[in-house]
Amino acid sequence: LVLVSDRDSGATIVELSPTGSDPRTLSGPRTNDSEPFPSPDGRLIAFFTTRDARNELYLMNRDGTGQRKLADCVQCSDVEWA
């Protein structure tokens, strides 16, 4: 289960175990990340962020490594995997 947590300052993407325990931070801290969209095969997660003071679409590996910017987003609202 991948979700957004705002427990600390800024929103970060967190992965929970199937029982809802053992939260593991995948992004952040203080990065204002939102709307994680796992890929169909579960290897990648696309997400929106304002970490550079503008709306952007980012991609990372399932374990939070390899975070990279894909595009600036003026009016992005959804991700659709092809």
Side-chain angles (χ1 to χ4, degrees):
L1 177 62
V2 178
L3 53 88
V4 174
S5 171
D6 61 357
R7 288 178 44 185
D8 299 320
S9 52
T12 58
I13 297 174
V14 175
E15 179 181 44
L16 296 177
S17 71
T19 63
S21 61
D22 302 322
R24 187 168 61 112
T25 301
L26 301 178
S27 69
R30 295 179 290 285
T31 54
N32 294 317
D33 299 334
S34 65
E35 302 182 54
F37 295 93
S39 63
D41 65 6
R43 294 181 347 177
L44 300 170
I45 300 171
F47 61 97
F48 296 111
T49 185
T50 57
R51 60 179 65 179
D52 296 325
R54 59 184 176 271
N55 293 326
E56 299 168 317
L57 177 63
Y58 264 63
L59 189 67
M60 68 178 159
N61 299 324
R62 177 72 176 167
D63 64 359
T65 62
Q67 295 183 26
R68 56 211 177 267
K69 180 176 142 180
L70 294 180
D72 289 322
C73 295
V74 176
Q75 294 182 330
C76 295
S77 63
D78 204 2
V79 170
E80 188 172 318
W81 291 94

